[in-house]
Amino acid sequence: MTGAAAAVQAALVAALAGHAPLAEVVGGVFDGPPAQADYPYVAIGAGATADWSHKTGRGREHRIAVTIWDDGESPARLHRLMAEAEHAVERIDPDLENHRIISLTFLRSRVIRDVDGPWAGIVEYRARTLQA
């Protein structure tokens, strides 16, 4: 059921890119780290996927990381963008291609920065899907 991870990833990209308060500010929403992008931008990391099957169905549990990169002098804009990313993710349509999101749970968020680099705002979720 490797298609479940691809379906969740595609739904994330579509939800984030289609959320105007976020999409109008960021330089793009990328399905993985971009070769080049203007700050701020959103990159979805390849998360871990585990079996979540039961007696009558096949399922997967996905760990998802949405990272917003920003080169601002303070994390203020980054915090606003992270909040918009949360709004977008929480509104994902649960009906995916050949799969259905059964649960989508916020796990944590954090902001980190290398001394000489950009800010990274990371928002993590757990999604559980069943094969349709």
Side-chain angles (χ1 to χ4, degrees):
M1 195 165 91
T2 59
V8 170
Q9 191 91 346
L12 280 171
V13 171
L16 292 162
H19 185 66
L22 180 66
E24 292 172 356
V25 178
V26 299
V29 176
F30 301 95
D31 189 9
Q36 292 183 353
D38 293 328
Y39 294 108
Y41 67 87
V42 180
I44 299 168
T49 301
D51 183 49
W52 193 67
S53 299
H54 55 81
K55 289 181 182 180
T56 61
R58 295 186 53 176
R60 292 286 188 263
E61 179 176 288
H62 313 267
R63 294 298 173 117
I64 302 161
V66 175
T67 304
I68 303 171
W69 294 92
D70 190 12
D71 63 350
E73 292 186 24
S74 79
R77 176 173 67 174
L78 181 59
H79 283 289
R80 287 191 305 275
L81 294 174
M82 290 170 68
E84 292 301 336
E86 287 183 41
H87 289 296
V89 171
E90 290 165 3
R91 288 174 175 77
I92 287 178
D93 183 353
D95 293 315
L96 311 175
E97 184 176 342
N98 299 319
H99 306 278
R100 178 165 176 76
I101 296 175
I102 303 304
S103 68
L104 180 63
T105 306
F106 170 83
L107 297 177
R108 67 181 177 165
S109 66
R110 64 186 187 272
V111 173
I112 57 174
R113 182 182 189 190
D114 186 1
V115 176
D116 295 322
W119 297 92
I122 305 163
V123 184
E124 297 179 22
Y125 287 89
R126 178 187 65 226
R128 291 178 173 159
T129 59
L130 287 177
Q131 191 170 22

